[in-house]
């Protein structure tokens, strides 16, 4: 499916013109409508998606929806939250549709501000305006547009303010249909109409703005900002397209007529209002702190390694802050080195998958951006992960908290499995927890869609080995969601006891031994498929071991929790409960205490991820070592002193010897 | 004209160093066909190495045999194929000995036999016959299987593993197969599986293969689909309001 490629292309080389191109056709508002549609160059970009959704009708849609009869003036930017799947259409920057689902809650409130913001508050006609002007029927011809673009790029490092507003839309509030905000939306609309279509204006404005840009902000950035601007509009369209596409073609037939009408309306209105330009509404330009101002990226991150919050084979994860929205983000840098075949297909897979997901317990991919020749996946930022939390020196989770975390874990899993996604890397370090106790599954680098029926055949080299289920360890390649359940059960034990239940040495053999030591060696009776495992003979245990799970864990768990874990740790994957079953288990449903969100986390200072806790551990180890070394050195010195005291001759010799060494000694003691 | 001794030595070395990659198998097969005038010699090399080397190497040679026969057939030098047909029982015995030491290779043998049958190198009857023998070996192994408490007397289990380990492990005694070998095998199997998966999606150009597959994969409409439909519907509803 070419569904893959588009995001990339788009994301990485944002077609500058795309918005315009898109817009036109959009309502055919432009007098040039017809011809424009023909312009492949422009138009195509947005469609690269190759999405079937683009079937002809779609142009009309956005306006269609926006002005649809339902009365209230369109809330222009309230794209309905589409499941991320919609996202891939355009700019990856934008992708974030997926994100939109997760964040949905906040959107409503947010979109309103945005609307007010974007145009009016800005000092100068915001870029949004320029872009809006795309809508304008009086838009200059294509050539001019191009010039325009060029001009923008050259003369002014595009508008930061805009990026601000737009980014707000894009990131923060996943564009959502904010019904309540309708009242506020009109400004936006009018704004658009008032837009000065003239290039000159734009340029002037731009020039004014230019100086405020961060020094280094150049083409790369500008482009991004522009894009974002556009994106957000695109987004709306996308969503619709998407929906559209899902709905089927039948709509296509009616669209044209309606659209035209609407377009006509639109065409007219701009003229009327145009005189009333609000260019004068000057608002204090948002000022950036020097740090932000100097940031070469719209996502500011602390210099050096300070901003790293995770690292693995996939690359590094940075904590960053959006300089305008001040929203935190986690930037996952896609490793490109050693990629001979271009953009890594694993990353493509991960992005595509994430775009299809939207759930409160699944981390939201906000966008994908290219910067300085690096590609980043931009996620919402969560302060902690389970490993970090469980290793926290003082913070302790209460029973109700643990249950709440557990429930969220299985809610997330249940969602994934229902949507046909295997996570394949469930482990404490991949489970993020927000400072309000909300849990989200992260790191979909190994995830894949699975066939709910039919004969699957996947690689068994998945899941961090401590969390790997016995069937995978025994070579099974035809597995299903039960592998995630096993991992999740391991995580549950960790939540309860703070320790991994099967901490092996990294090899398959030892890992199986660890499992056998707790659960006993499996029998054919409990797992009929056992002997069909590819490496059953290869890894056959030498002795039978009894199940010690009861003695090891029964005491430490409530009866229902124990029973639930026992069920999830069934050797036979087909006997393990599904995520849905788990959620209906008495442990979650009836047993006291009832789950309670760990809002206490908001008082927890600092961010606690596996990465930091590892660093902390290392730091502590280093300190300990140093302390020990210091003690040793001290003893050594004392002994020397003693010896010196005991005989002056030896002391002399000693001191002589000591002198050249002394510098070393000092260094050592430091 | 190459020195027959040298050819033999080189081929032997290639067999000993076979790994899970298709590449290494094909290289060795090429070599054998290049010196096809010494086919009998080379065939005896194969048998010799099968009886001499580690369990993993035997498995690799077994997979190599499939490549060799395939290639020989294509290059119209069916001598190799004929000799293999003749000696297949010996080969199977060497790869998965009846004493249980090659239990981990039984699945390999099965897979290769199936492949050979598919390529019409072995007759279905022959394969069936061998399969029957393997099944016995397999169940024999199962009866003495430490994993199975169904096994009547635990002692048999112990004895069995002892015999396994004494054969496989050098003096370490009472453990299972050598750890390094096991790990190597796991990696090699994964590598082979990866290759296999490269072509797993392919369907014949005739017929409705692709359709059938999609149809199969599609699955039934169940609760999950209903829920997804509801979710989509909700979104659509929201969209409609806008």
């Amino acid at each position: 499916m070419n569904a893959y490629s588009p995001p990339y292309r788009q994301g990485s080389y944002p077609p500058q013109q795309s918005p315009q191109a898109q817009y036109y056709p959009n309502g055919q508002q432009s007098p040039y409508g017809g011809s424009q549609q023909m312009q492949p160059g422009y138009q195509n970009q947005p469609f690269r998606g190759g999405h079937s959704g683009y079937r002809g009708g779609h142009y009309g849609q956005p306006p269609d929806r926006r002005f649809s009869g339902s009365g209230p003036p369109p809330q222009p930017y309230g794209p309905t939250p589409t499941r991320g799947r919609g996202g891939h259409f355009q700019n990856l920057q934008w992708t974030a549709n997926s994100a939109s689902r997760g964040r949905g809650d906040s959107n409503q409130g947010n979109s309103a501000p945005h609307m007010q913001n974007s145009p009016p508050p800005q000092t100068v006609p915001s870029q949004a305006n320029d872009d809006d002007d795309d809508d304008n029927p009086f838009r200059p011809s294509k050539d001019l547009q191009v010039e325009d673009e060029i001009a923008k790029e050259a003369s002014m490092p595009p508008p930061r303010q805009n990026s601000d507003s737009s980014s707000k839309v894009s990131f923060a509030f996943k564009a959502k249909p904010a019904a309540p905000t309708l009242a506020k939306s009109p400004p936006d609309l009018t704004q658009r109409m008032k837009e000065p279509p003239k290039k000159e204006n734009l340029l002037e404005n731009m020039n004014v703005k230019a100086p405020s840009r961060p020094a280094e902000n150049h083409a790369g950035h500008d482009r991004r900002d522009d894009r974002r601007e556009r994106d957000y509009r695109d987004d709306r369209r996308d969503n619709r397209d998407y929906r559209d596409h899902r709905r089927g073609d039948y709509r296509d037939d009616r669209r044209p007529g309606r659209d035209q009408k609407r377009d006509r309306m639109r065409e007219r209105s701009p003229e009327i209002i145009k005189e009333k330009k609000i260019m004068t509404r000057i608002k204090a330009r948002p000022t950036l702190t020097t740090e932000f101002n100097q940031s070469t990226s719209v996502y500011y991150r602390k210099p050096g390694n300070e901003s790293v919050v995770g690292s693995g084979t996939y690359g590094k994860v940075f904590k960053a802050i959006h300089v305008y929205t001040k929203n935190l983000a986690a930037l996952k840098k896609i490793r490109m080195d050693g990629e001979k075949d271009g953009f890594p297909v694993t990353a493509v897979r991960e992005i595509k998958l994430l775009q299809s997901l939207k759930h409160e317990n699944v981390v939201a991919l906000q966008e994908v951006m290219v910067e300085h020749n690096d590609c980043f996946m931009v996620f919402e930022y969560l302060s902690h992960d389970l490993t970090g939390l469980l290793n926290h020196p003082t913070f302790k989770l209460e029973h109700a908290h643990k249950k709440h975390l557990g429930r969220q874990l299985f809610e997330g899993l249940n969602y994934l499995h229902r949507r046909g996604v295997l996570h394949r890397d469930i482990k404490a370090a991949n489970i993020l927890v927000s400072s309000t106790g909300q849990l989200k599954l992260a790191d979909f680098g190994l995830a894949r869609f699975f066939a709910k029926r039919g004969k699957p055949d996947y690689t068994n080299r998945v899941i961090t080995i401590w969390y790997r289920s016995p069937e995978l360890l025994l070579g099974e390649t035809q597995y299903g969601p039960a592998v995630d359940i096993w991992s999740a059960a391991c995580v549950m034990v960790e939540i309860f006891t703070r320790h991994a239940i099967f901490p092996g040495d990294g090899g398959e053999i030892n890992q199986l031994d660890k499992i056998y030591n707790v659960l006993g060696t499996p029998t054919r009776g409990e797992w009929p498929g056992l002997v069909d495992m590819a490496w059953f003979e290869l890894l056959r245990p030498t002795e039978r071991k009894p199940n010690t799970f009861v003695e090891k864990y029964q005491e430490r768990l409530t009866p229902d929790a124990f029973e639930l874990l026992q069920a999830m740790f069934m050797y036979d994957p087909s006997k393990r409960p599904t995520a849905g079953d788990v959620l209906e288990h008495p442990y979650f449903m009836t047993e006291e205490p009832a789950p309670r969100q760990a809002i206490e986390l908001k008082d927890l200072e600092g961010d606690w991820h596996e990465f930091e806790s590892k660093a902390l551990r290392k730091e502590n180890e280093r300190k300990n070592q140093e302390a020990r070394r210091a003690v040793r050195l001290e003893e050594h010195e004392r002994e020397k002193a003693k010896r010196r005291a005991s005989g002056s001759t030896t002391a002399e010799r000693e001191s002589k010897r000591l002198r050249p060494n002394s510098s070393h000694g000092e260094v050592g003691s430091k | 004209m190459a020195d027959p001794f040298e050819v033999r030595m080189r081929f032997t070395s290639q067999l000993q160093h076979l790994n899970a990659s298709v590449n290494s198998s094909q290289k060795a097969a090429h070599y054998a066909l290049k010196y096809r005038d010494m086919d009998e010699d080379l065939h005896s090399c194969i048998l010799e190495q099968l009886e001499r080397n580690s369990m993993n190497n035997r498995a690799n040679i077994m997979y190599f045999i499939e490549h060799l026969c395939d290639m020989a057939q294509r290059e119209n030098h069916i001598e190799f194929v004929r000799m293999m047909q003749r000696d297949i029982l010996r080969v199977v015995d060497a790869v998965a000995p009846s004493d249980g030491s090659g239990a981990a290779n039984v699945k390999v043998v099965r897979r290769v036999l199936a492949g050979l049958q598919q390529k019409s190198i072995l007759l279905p009857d022959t394969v069936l016959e061998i399969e029957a023998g393997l099944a016995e070996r397999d169940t024999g192994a199962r009866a003495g299987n430490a994993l199975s408490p169904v096994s009547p007397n635990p002692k048999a289990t112990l004895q069995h593993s002892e015999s396994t380990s004494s054969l496989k492990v050098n003096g370490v005694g009472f453990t299972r197969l050598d750890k390094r070998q096991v790990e190597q095998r796991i990696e090699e199997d994964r590598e082979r599986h990866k290759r296999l998966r490269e072509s797993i999606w392919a369907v014949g150009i005739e017929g409705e293969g692709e359709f059938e597959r999609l149809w199969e994969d599609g699955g039934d409409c169940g609760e999950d689909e209903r829920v997804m439909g509801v979710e989509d519907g909700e979104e659509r509803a929201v969209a409609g309001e806008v």
Side-chain angles (χ1 to χ4, degrees):
Chain A
M1 263 261 188
N2 36 2
Y4 280 147
S5 55
Y8 286 118
R9 294 232 224 81
Q10 306 246 359
S12 14
Y13 312 104
Q16 309 238 358
Q17 308 86 338
S18 68
Q20 293 159 346
Q22 274 177 334
Y23 233 4
Y24 274 97
N26 203 351
Q28 287 147 352
Q29 300 136 337
S30 98
Y32 312 105
S35 64
Q36 240 119 27
Q37 290 193 344
M38 302 286 135
Q39 306 215 345
Y42 288 2
Q43 229 164 311
N44 282 345
Q45 261 147 342
F47 305 109
R48 244 197 259 103
H51 226 270
S52 41
Y54 290 109
R55 255 175 258 124
H58 99 281
Y59 292 121
Q61 278 251 298
D64 181 21
R65 285 279 169 71
R66 245 183 277 142
F67 298 79
S68 72
S70 47
Q75 22 164 31
Y77 299 133
T80 34
T82 345
R83 201 160 303 123
R85 279 148 161 197
H88 41 118
F89 308 94
Q90 321 263 3
N91 273 319
L92 252 210
Q93 264 311 9
W94 243 104
T95 47
N97 283 347
S98 44
S100 69
R101 283 178 140 214
R103 307 247 201 114
D105 350 336
S106 59
N107 289 344
Q108 300 216 333
N110 292 336
S111 56
H114 152 65
M115 279 154 192
Q116 287 174 331
N117 277 351
S118 63
Q122 315 244 311
T123 326
V124 199
S126 67
Q127 170 121 11
N129 294 346
D130 325 358
D131 278 344
D132 282 346
D133 124 300
D134 295 344
D135 269 349
N136 197 300
F138 302 104
R139 220 186 146 90
S141 74
K142 215 60 188 206
D143 308 339
L144 284 182
Q145 285 170 29
V146 175
E147 261 171 49
D148 181 23
E149 288 290 339
I150 293 164
K152 271 189 217 161
E153 270 207 331
S155 66
M156 46 131 197
R160 302 154 123 199
Q161 294 97 333
N162 298 335
S163 76
D164 184 8
S165 64
S166 64
S167 58
K168 246 186 190 165
V169 176
S170 51
F171 307 129
F173 332 122
K174 282 358 228 174
K176 227 229 168 135
T181 59
L182 284 185
K184 280 159 183 178
S185 51
D188 203 6
L189 181 57
T190 32
Q191 181 86 21
R192 168 177 305 143
M193 304 198 161
K194 287 172 210 161
E195 232 18 343
K198 301 201 179 103
K199 251 57 223 213
E200 300 84 293
N201 273 344
L202 284 180
L203 288 180
E204 275 168 35
N205 299 332
M206 301 296 182
N207 288 334
V208 175
K209 273 190 264 177
S212 68
R213 284 232 117 204
E216 287 103 319
N217 255 350
H218 271 312
H221 271 290
D222 304 348
R223 231 179 282 138
R224 263 234 270 114
D225 293 346
D226 291 349
R227 216 190 309 154
R228 202 160 295 134
E229 205 65 52
R230 251 168 254 143
D231 290 344
Y232 109 92
R233 238 179 287 112
D234 293 348
D235 183 38
R236 276 176 281 152
R237 210 170 297 125
D238 292 351
N239 289 344
R240 268 153 233 198
D241 293 345
Y242 170 57
R243 230 174 289 123
D244 196 26
H245 145 59
R246 267 189 293 169
R247 259 187 234 175
D249 299 331
Y250 66 92
R251 302 189 103 248
D252 290 1
D253 329 353
R254 5 176 206 156
R255 242 180 269 138
R258 275 214 243 144
D259 293 345
Q260 266 161 14
K261 230 187 272 161
R262 224 151 267 141
D263 297 338
R264 242 173 282 135
M265 270 169 50
R266 276 188 120 204
E267 258 171 19
R268 253 194 317 262
S269 49
E271 297 177 42
I272 302 163
I273 324 182
K274 224 208 278 129
E275 311 308 325
K276 282 196 222 161
K277 184 154 320 167
I278 352 169
M279 308 289 287
T280 45
R281 286 200 244 167
I282 290 176
K283 200 186 182 182
R285 179 184 300 145
T287 48
L288 293 182
T289 62
T290 37
E291 268 179 340
F292 285 178
N293 207 20
Q294 283 163 2
S295 170
T296 57
S297 166
V298 75
Y299 287 106
Y300 168 76
R301 43 185 227 247
K302 291 182 181 158
N305 276 339
E306 214 180 326
S307 59
V308 178
V309 289
S311 115
T313 46
Y314 52 81
K316 275 182 183 164
V317 178
F318 303 90
K319 177 181 180 178
I321 182 168
H322 192 283
V323 295
Y324 299 114
T325 65
K326 308 286 188 287
N327 288 333
L328 289 173
L331 307 184
K332 181 170 173 176
K333 187 168 165 181
I334 298 171
R335 264 180 63 156
M336 296 285 285
D337 43 316
E339 292 292 340
K340 285 168 270 167
D341 307 324
F343 200 87
V345 67
T346 49
V348 180
R349 226 175 261 154
E350 182 176 355
I351 291 166
K352 189 180 173 227
L353 221 133
L354 280 164
Q355 286 178 333
S356 78
L357 302 174
K358 184 189 166 193
H359 188 268
E360 50 187 3
N361 299 121
V362 173
V363 73
L365 174 67
Q366 297 177 332
E367 62 172 328
V368 177
M369 72 172 182
V370 175
E371 204 168 79
H372 306 307
N373 213 24
D374 282 323
C375 189
F376 295 89
M377 295 165 70
V378 182
F379 293 96
E380 55 184 325
Y381 180 82
L382 282 83
S383 312
H384 319 290
D385 67 33
L386 263 184
T387 306
L389 273 191
L390 295 173
N391 285 323
H392 191 277
T394 54
F395 184 80
K396 298 278 180 294
L397 290 164
E398 291 165 26
H399 276 300
H401 293 156
K402 293 174 181 178
K403 189 173 291 189
H404 190 254
L405 288 174
R407 196 177 68 188
Q408 294 180 81
L409 165 61
F410 286 100
E411 297 274 6
L413 265 189
N414 189 37
Y415 173 78
L416 293 183
H417 292 169
R418 270 199 301 114
R419 292 210 93 88
V421 173
L422 294 180
H423 186 283
R424 302 202 299 181
D425 200 11
I426 295 288
K427 59 173 172 177
N430 282 343
I431 296 173
L432 304 179
V433 181
S434 78
S435 50
T436 55
Q438 205 188 13
L439 175 148
K440 290 179 195 260
L441 302 178
D443 196 346
F444 284 70
L446 283 174
R448 65 163 295 151
F449 290 108
F450 68 96
K452 289 186 184 163
R453 231 179 56 158
K455 256 197 165 183
D457 189 54
Y458 317 129
T459 170
N460 57 45
R461 196 194 269 126
V462 290
I463 306 184
T464 305
I465 200 161
W466 288 5
Y467 300 82
R468 204 179 291 168
S469 63
E471 69 268 25
L472 286 173
L473 291 165
L474 288 170
E476 182 60 285
T477 57
Q478 308 190 337
Y479 53 85
V483 300
D484 283 343
I485 298 296
W486 180 279
S487 310
C490 295
V491 171
M492 286 304 287
V493 172
E494 230 166 301
I495 292 176
F496 289 129
T497 69
R498 299 176 144 229
H499 294 289
I501 177 169
F502 307 125
D505 69 358
E508 278 82 1
I509 303 172
N510 182 263
Q511 188 60 38
L512 278 170
D513 279 341
K514 288 280 187 243
I515 295 176
Y516 296 158
N517 284 341
V518 178
L519 301 176
T521 43
T523 65
R524 249 198 301 168
E526 58 184 334
W527 186 7
L530 172 62
V531 288
D532 299 323
M533 294 296 117
W535 301 324
F536 163 70
E537 289 292 349
L538 200 67
L539 296 167
R540 185 143 43 95
T542 47
E543 49 179 341
R544 198 172 317 145
K545 287 179 184 164
N547 186 322
T548 60
F549 187 64
V550 178
E551 25 189 299
K552 285 194 170 103
Y553 288 94
Q554 194 161 37
E555 298 277 285
R556 307 160 77 173
L557 305 168
T558 62
D560 281 336
F562 178 77
E563 209 249 6
L564 174 60
L565 282 173
Q566 222 172 14
M568 291 193 287
F569 281 132
M570 293 295 251
Y571 274 116
D572 187 344
S574 66
K575 289 181 183 157
R576 281 174 222 150
T578 65
D581 296 340
V582 172
L583 288 169
E584 281 168 16
H585 191 274
Y587 170 69
F588 289 116
M589 301 297 282
T590 55
E591 197 182 43
E592 291 294 319
R596 202 178 71 241
Q597 189 157 345
I599 43 170
E600 288 82 348
L601 282 169
K602 69 178 188 308
D603 302 324
L604 193 62
E605 228 170 81
D607 296 354
W608 294 89
H609 298 110
E610 182 194 36
F611 189 77
E612 287 108 2
S613 59
K614 259 189 197 162
L616 185 74
R617 203 170 56 217
K618 269 184 206 151
E619 175 67 14
N620 284 341
E621 273 165 21
R622 198 180 56 81
K623 274 187 195 152
N624 284 344
Q625 256 179 10
E626 261 168 34
R628 260 176 275 139
R629 204 182 305 149
V631 171
R632 249 180 288 139
L633 206 80
E634 214 173 281
E635 277 170 11
H636 189 59
E637 294 290 336
R638 226 179 289 140
E639 236 162 70
K640 265 185 210 158
K642 243 188 255 166
R643 254 181 279 158
R644 223 176 287 150
S646 65
S648 59
T649 47
T650 41
E652 236 171 72
R653 229 188 294 141
E654 203 82 45
S655 66
K656 253 181 229 158
R657 214 185 293 150
L658 205 66
R659 220 166 290 133
N661 285 344
S662 62
S663 62
H664 294 280
E666 262 166 53
V667 171
S669 69
K670 255 179 211 169
Chain B
M1 194 68 218
D3 170 22
F5 181 71
E6 199 191 328
V7 171
R8 215 188 142 92
M9 289 300 291
R10 289 217 177 164
F11 187 59
T12 299
S13 159
Q14 281 189 354
L15 291 178
Q16 281 166 347
H17 294 100
L18 280 175
N19 60 36
S21 73
V22 176
N23 226 346
S24 81
S25 281
Q26 281 182 341
K27 214 176 111 197
H30 267 300
Y31 191 85
L33 281 167
K34 188 175 166 196
Y35 297 101
R36 60 184 74 176
D37 48 316
M38 289 176 237
D39 47 15
E40 254 177 88
D41 260 2
L42 296 179
H43 181 77
S44 73
C45 272
I46 298 174
L47 295 182
E48 195 181 290
Q49 291 308 310
L50 269 180
E51 281 156 13
R52 246 178 224 188
N53 284 302
S54 71
M55 167 197 68
N56 288 342
N57 189 245
R58 288 181 226 195
N60 287 336
I61 295 179
M62 191 72 197
Y63 283 112
F64 155 78
I65 288 174
E66 190 178 348
H67 282 283
L68 175 66
C69 291
D70 192 28
M71 209 179 280
Q73 222 175 21
R74 263 185 286 134
E75 300 207 3
N76 259 328
H77 185 81
I78 50 168
E79 265 319 294
F80 279 121
V81 177
R82 228 172 259 154
M83 287 186 290
M84 202 48 75
Q85 286 165 338
R86 186 189 66 208
D87 291 333
I88 190 71
L89 285 175
R90 201 173 150 198
V91 170
V92 171
D93 276 339
V95 178
S98 51
D99 62 8
S101 64
N105 278 346
V106 171
K107 289 192 171 73
V108 175
V109 172
R110 286 221 176 96
R111 201 164 297 159
V112 173
L113 288 182
L116 291 176
Q117 183 187 338
Q118 201 193 345
K119 294 184 172 95
S120 328
I121 288 162
L122 291 180
L123 294 174
D125 284 350
T126 322
V127 175
L128 272 180
E129 201 180 310
I130 301 172
E131 281 283 353
L134 282 177
E136 243 164 60
R137 260 166 232 189
D138 217 17
T139 44
R142 283 180 197 189
N145 164 10
L147 293 183
S148 176
V150 180
S151 149
N153 62 346
K155 264 197 176 165
T157 305
L158 297 191
Q159 276 163 6
H160 180 74
S161 5
E162 207 159 16
S163 67
T164 307
S165 49
S166 61
L167 271 168
K168 293 278 97 192
V169 186
N170 347 318
V172 185
F174 201 52
T175 51
R176 52 187 148 200
L177 308 174
D178 177 53
K179 190 179 161 200
R180 230 188 37 245
Q181 268 192 50
V182 171
E183 280 168 357
Q184 185 197 347
R185 176 59 164 274
I186 289 177
E187 286 312 309
E188 287 181 343
D189 278 357
R190 281 182 177 146
E191 178 65 25
R192 275 189 279 266
H193 181 243
K194 211 157 69 183
R195 299 275 154 234
L196 205 71
R197 276 164 43 77
E198 282 175 4
S199 52
I200 210 170
W201 49 270
V203 290
I205 44 171
E206 285 145 40
E208 299 278 292
E210 192 168 0
F211 169 77
E212 289 297 332
R213 189 172 292 214
L214 278 173
W215 184 253
E216 279 305 305
D217 287 351
D220 304 322
C221 247
E223 177 62 12
D224 292 354
E225 285 68 27
R226 194 190 63 77
V227 173
M228 272 169 83
V230 169
E231 277 176 16
D232 287 355
E234 279 165 4
E235 261 174 30
R236 210 153 44 222
V238 178
E241 284 165 20
V242 174

